[in-house]
Amino acid sequence: LRKNLKCLIIAHPTWFIRTVLAISRPFISVKFMDKIRYIHTLEELSHIIPMEHVQIPECVLQYDQEKIKAQKLRQDQEQQETKSSLPKERPKSMLADVGRDVCH
């Protein structure tokens, strides 16, 4: 069985799973470690294997949707933070006053 394994796909890997595999790396063959792939969303999984015949439990679908929503919220917050940290432009009326002071 182990020689016939083409790929071991771990969906939604936790830090614990990744840590256990990293610690056990010296005890596992390099060929087997090369077969392990981590995917973070079901969309990534659909790029690897055809999803027509895959039965995914409802709780996994819900978890994936929640994770995607959280990621979008995080991205929106980061965009708002970068917009608020950008220097604000001076109003045109202030720019006109500065120009007059220099000319006189």
Side-chain angles (χ1 to χ4, degrees), residues 18-35:
R18 288 182 284 185
T19 304
V20 167
L21 286 173
I23 290 172
S24 59
R25 186 169 231 143
F27 308 106
I28 299 174
S29 74
V30 175
K31 289 181 181 179
F32 181 75
M33 289 303 288
D34 289 341
K35 293 178 181 182

Side-chain angles (χ1 to χ4, degrees), residues 6-10 21 28 31-38:
K6 302 291 182 204
C7 182
L8 175 63
I9 300 171
I10 300 175
L21 286 173
I28 299 174
K31 289 181 181 179
F32 181 75
M33 289 303 288
D34 289 341
K35 293 178 181 182
I36 298 174
R37 293 185 62 183
Y38 299 111

